[in-house]
Amino acid sequence: MKLARFATLTLLLGAGASGIAIAQQVPPEKAFGARESVVSASLSPDGKTMAFLAPTAGKGNALFTVPVDGSAPPKRSMVASGEPELMQRCGWVANDRLLCTVVAPREESGFLLNASRLVAIDAGGGNFKMISERNTDNALYFNRYGGGIVDWLPGQDGAFLMSKWIVPEVTTGTVIQKRKEGFTVERVDTRSGQSRTVVKPMADGSEFISDGIGEVRIAGVTQFTGDYSATGVTRYIYRPKGGSEWKDLSTYNELTYQGFNPYAVDPAENVVYGLQKTNGRFALIKRALDGSNTDTVAFAHPEVDVDGPIRLGRKQRVIGASYATDRRYAEYFDAGLARLAGSLAKALPGSPIISYEGASDDEQKLLIWAGSDTDPGRYYLLDRATKQMRPLLLSRPELEGYKLASVQSVQVKASDGTLVPAYLTLPPGSSGKNLPAIVMPHGGPQARDEWGFDWLAQYYANRGFAVLQPNFRGSYGYGDDWFKENGFKSWKIAIGDVTDSGRWLVSQGIADPSKLAILGWSYGGYAALQSGVVAPDLFKAIVAIAPVTDLDELRSQFIRTTGQRVMRDWIGSGPHLKEGSPAQNVAAIKAPVMLFHGDLDFNVKVTESQLMADRLRGAGKQVTLITYPGLTHSLNTSDARADMLGKSDAFLRGALGIK
């Protein structure tokens, strides 16, 4: 495939899309810690304009649009300061108009929660309109949910289908109640603000799925106990094509992963694609919506889970299935797109990970992202008619000029003989032997690491460390036998795989045993600390970022919420709550510990790190706790991430005796 000549529109978007070219290499902490420069990229219905979110100074971000033909630089349409509002995602409702989800933290009864609102704006920055309904003084309670996008309504200029939660109202001094409470769908015109009901409000409704061309076909209803605690089970119902009567489709249990979980409707085939376990692994299933509920396997893999359908454009047309073995792969159902993906992999040999990020409504112009382990990624516009591809924007322009480390897929032999899949990143130009090394378990624990660019692993590799990322038992994606009961209930197996990963690095001659450390984020931070408990002589330094430190404390965060039963059942009860909590076993830890945490963390409260630090100090252990005011679980500023990288690197070097 011939690449058209084209100067990159803007390399440096991290400074607010100033358009300033990179004159010199950015210091490593700032380069690797910089927030991604292009997020929520999308293509206008006519394929002529790209929209994306880019970070601004601090926690904020901005919406930009740019002609894909290179005729003009990116233009800023809207800014969110991050104090507290932040744009989460944006998409096109017309060739000249965008719809964005804006989120902001809100504290309710001692809980940190996100509130969302939908806003619309012209690509040029005018005609701003709040789409979400404003809360009134007569509302019985505050509505945090500002609405969701059910259908982009291709061909209906400026309109979309919105899911919303209706809060009942009462007039002060009377018992007159207005409006039925429940989850509903409305058609909204983003230019005029006019709306009409498409689906009547459903009590306990939680999800709607359309066919991508305007008809809502599926609804999800959350199942609750008598005390209004969510059970983790969702009942799904569907409507026949052109019909109005709801019929049973399936149930799905998010705790046991049992049942059929619908994702997308194909109106031509009159089926819904969903995930369902087959032989202990998720497969992509097509279930008929003709009343028969007949299932057909769309795609299943014999070794790993299918992660879900791949969808394209504003119609969200299902074009394939995605899964990961040693690398991320796609099984395309659309023969033309399958051939195209193969051609792109050949045209871009240094960036074999290919993703269709957007499409014009006629699918003749495609927005493509390509990357690899040594390429943080870049965006292209492909014109299928002319067969020409034009480079657009870099995902991480600050890393231009840095030599990145290649990532190898390896297998770690655990103490019981099990082969644990992992990814090894070695410092560029190193011998790969007798190195300072870091075991870096992933978060979740319902997650997994994949082959590709990882800013954390790449930073430490740049600083001379070998980095090993194990997909320990308890990781997602390898089926029921690998998942066990999850990384908390089955913590002994999961942490055993993590510590065995450190021993493997030593046995292979990769790691200097006197310079072996462990570092993790969220559950990975928990795994790092708990590894220090069960293998106190193995790791010589521990870094934990936003870690869980006490399982009972984690459960208590959800008391008096609708999710309390789900979290109770997920974490479990019994002796493992104490045995598996590093904060309750600090006496065993020998290595110095460094903790990082944002104090506006919705996922894991900062009290977890504070508790750990207090317990370590009380036991006479060496610990440093660094908190970031106003930051969330992801440490959501480039400056904070750079600070965390620099301080953790200095800590590791000091603890391991590295000059």
Side-chain angles (χ1 to χ4, degrees):
M1 180 168 292
K2 183 178 179 181
L3 293 178
R5 291 185 178 181
F6 184 72
T8 303
L9 295 178
T10 304
L11 289 180
L12 187 57
L13 294 177
S18 62
I20 302 172
I22 297 174
Q24 58 185 6
Q25 194 175 70
V26 180
E29 291 76 23
K30 290 186 176 294
F32 288 92
R35 288 191 288 162
E36 200 167 1
S37 290
V38 180
V39 177
S40 186
S42 59
L43 200 59
S44 61
D46 60 10
K48 294 181 179 180
T49 313
M50 174 184 178
F52 60 95
L53 297 176
T56 59
K59 295 182 284 186
N61 61 1
L63 170 64
F64 287 87
T65 59
V66 60
V68 295
D69 63 3
S71 59
K75 180 178 180 180
R76 190 171 66 183
S77 304
M78 184 166 54
V79 178
S81 68
E83 302 287 351
E85 296 84 4
L86 188 72
M87 284 178 281
Q88 193 173 59
R89 65 182 67 87
C90 295
W92 298 88
V93 287
N95 287 321
D96 62 343
R97 194 152 176 80
L98 291 124
L99 182 68
C100 297
T101 301
V102 179
V103 296
R106 177 181 173 87
E107 186 171 341
E108 294 182 16
S109 303
F111 296 98
L112 288 172
L113 304 166
N114 254 333
S116 67
R117 294 293 181 263
L118 289 176
V119 300
I121 195 167
D122 287 347
N127 194 19
F128 175 89
K129 193 173 291 293
M130 173 70 74
I131 301 301
S132 299
E133 188 171 12
R134 300 180 187 275
N135 286 276
T136 71
D137 293 337
N138 294 329
L140 288 182
Y141 51 85
F142 179 81
N143 187 5
R144 290 189 298 108
Y145 180 65
I149 300 159
V150 178
D151 196 309
W152 291 100
L153 296 181
Q156 299 188 39
D157 186 61
F160 76 108
L161 294 186
M162 178 177 76
S163 61
K164 62 182 290 187
W165 183 262
I166 294 180
V167 178
E169 298 180 356
V170 292
T171 303
T172 304
T174 75
V175 294
I176 300 174
Q177 184 167 316
K178 301 177 181 178
R179 309 174 67 187
K180 183 178 180 181
E181 184 177 22
F183 204 46
T184 185
V185 178
E186 294 181 355
R187 182 190 184 277
V188 181
D189 187 318
T190 66
R191 301 186 195 275
S192 67
Q194 294 182 339
S195 64
R196 61 176 173 82
T197 300
V198 173
V199 177
K200 294 179 180 179
M202 291 183 176
D204 302 333
S206 57
E207 183 180 358
F208 291 107
I209 301 173
S210 81
D211 61 2
I213 52 175
E215 187 175 1
V216 179
R217 298 292 305 277
I218 292 171
V221 181
T222 300
Q223 307 295 287
F224 291 94
T225 60
D227 62 353
Y228 213 68
S229 293
T231 63
V233 175
T234 301
R235 171 179 169 243
Y236 287 99
I237 53 180
Y238 79 97
R239 296 193 296 193
K241 197 169 187 176
S244 59
E245 182 183 352
W246 293 100
K247 300 182 179 183
D248 285 334
L249 177 71
S250 65
T251 58
Y252 182 71
N253 189 320
E254 65 179 288
L255 287 171
T256 63
Y257 302 101
Q258 296 302 310
F260 178 80
N261 190 7
Y263 278 72
V265 171
D266 184 320
E269 288 194 59
N270 196 27
V271 299
V272 57
Y273 285 88
L275 292 180
Q276 184 170 268
K277 289 289 182 69
T278 300
N279 298 322
R281 297 181 183 88
F282 278 118
L284 187 64
I285 304 294
K286 292 193 294 185
R287 178 163 291 186
L289 297 177
D290 59 3
S292 67
N293 275 14
T294 302
D295 286 347
T296 305
V297 177
F299 181 73
H301 194 278
E303 299 174 356
V304 295
D305 292 314
V306 175
D307 293 315
I310 303 172
R311 291 174 276 187
L312 181 67
R314 298 199 308 148
K315 292 180 181 179
Q316 291 290 279
R317 182 171 73 90
V318 175
I319 59 172
S322 178
Y323 65 96
T325 52
D326 59 329
R327 297 189 182 190
R328 171 66 52 183
Y329 293 97
E331 178 73 18
Y332 288 105
F333 307 149
D334 184 301
L337 291 174
R339 289 192 297 270
L340 180 57
S343 298
L344 289 171
K346 293 177 182 177
L348 303 168
S351 304
I353 305 176
I354 305 294
S355 174
Y356 296 119
E357 293 293 306
S360 57
D361 281 358
D362 63 6
E363 297 186 5
Q364 289 304 296
K365 293 181 179 178
L366 301 176
L367 182 63
I368 290 166
W369 180 92
S372 72
D373 55 344
T374 57
D375 181 357
R378 55 200 69 216
Y379 289 85
Y380 299 87
L381 189 284
L382 173 67
D383 190 321
R384 299 175 77 178
T386 64
K387 296 184 179 179
Q388 296 233 325
M389 192 157 68
R390 185 181 296 274
L392 296 176
L393 299 169
L394 301 176
S395 294
R396 294 181 179 271
E398 295 86 354
L399 290 173
E400 286 293 284
Y402 274 93
K403 181 175 177 57
L404 300 180
S406 60
V407 179
Q408 308 171 42
S409 175
V410 298
Q411 289 188 317
V412 172
K413 191 171 185 178
S415 56
D416 64 0
T418 300
L419 295 178
V420 178
Y423 296 96
L424 176 65
T425 306
L426 297 174
S430 74
S431 65
K433 296 295 181 182
N434 204 36
L435 298 169
I438 298 171
V439 174
M440 189 183 296
H442 61 71
Q446 276 91 318
R448 59 156 292 168
D449 279 314
E450 294 186 25
W451 183 87
F453 174 83
D454 183 305
W455 64 276
L456 274 177
Q458 287 287 345
Y459 169 75
Y460 295 110
N462 175 269
R463 301 297 294 150
F465 293 90
V467 180
L468 183 68
Q469 297 169 276
N471 281 327
F472 47 84
R473 280 169 283 186
S475 300
Y476 180 86
Y478 297 92
D480 289 346
D481 290 343
W482 195 262
F483 185 75
K484 300 299 181 185
E485 289 187 283
N486 77 44
F488 288 128
K489 288 182 178 178
S490 303
W491 74 265
K492 290 183 180 180
I493 298 173
I495 303 304
D497 288 348
V498 172
T499 54
D500 283 341
S501 296
R503 296 184 183 98
W504 180 86
L505 280 171
V506 174
S507 71
Q508 299 299 303
I510 298 169
D512 177 341
S514 69
K515 294 178 172 59
L516 180 63
I518 186 166
L519 179 151
W521 202 312
S522 193
Y523 179 88
Y526 162 81
L529 293 166
Q530 190 64 6
S531 293
V533 171
V534 301
D537 296 313
L538 180 62
F539 298 108
K540 313 307 179 186
I542 300 169
V543 177
I545 308 160
V548 172
T549 67
D550 188 289
L551 300 186
D552 201 40
E553 175 70 16
L554 180 64
R555 290 200 317 172
S556 71
Q557 291 183 30
F558 297 88
I559 293 174
R560 301 190 312 279
T561 72
T562 57
Q564 62 181 358
R565 174 173 169 166
V566 171
M567 290 302 297
R568 181 199 68 195
D569 293 347
W570 179 55
I571 296 171
S573 59
H576 78 280
L577 291 181
K578 181 177 181 179
E579 296 169 357
S581 294
Q584 297 196 43
N585 297 278
V586 295
I589 295 176
K590 295 181 179 180
V593 175
M594 177 168 268
L595 303 164
F596 297 91
H597 220 124
D599 70 2
L600 201 62
D601 193 330
F602 297 92
N603 302 64
V604 181
K605 285 187 176 181
V606 68
T607 51
E608 295 267 354
S609 282
Q610 292 167 341
L611 174 65
M612 189 73 195
D614 289 345
R615 295 279 178 85
L616 285 166
R617 290 190 191 104
K621 308 292 183 175
Q622 184 180 338
V623 60
T624 302
L625 169 60
I626 297 171
T627 58
Y628 296 100
L631 297 192
T632 63
H633 193 64
S634 63
L635 300 184
N636 51 315
T637 73
S638 297
D639 287 344
R641 292 181 181 183
D643 183 74
M644 181 272 294
L645 291 177
K647 287 178 177 174
S648 63
D649 178 53
F651 166 76
L652 291 170
R653 290 178 182 281
L656 302 179
I658 302 170
K659 295 182 180 179

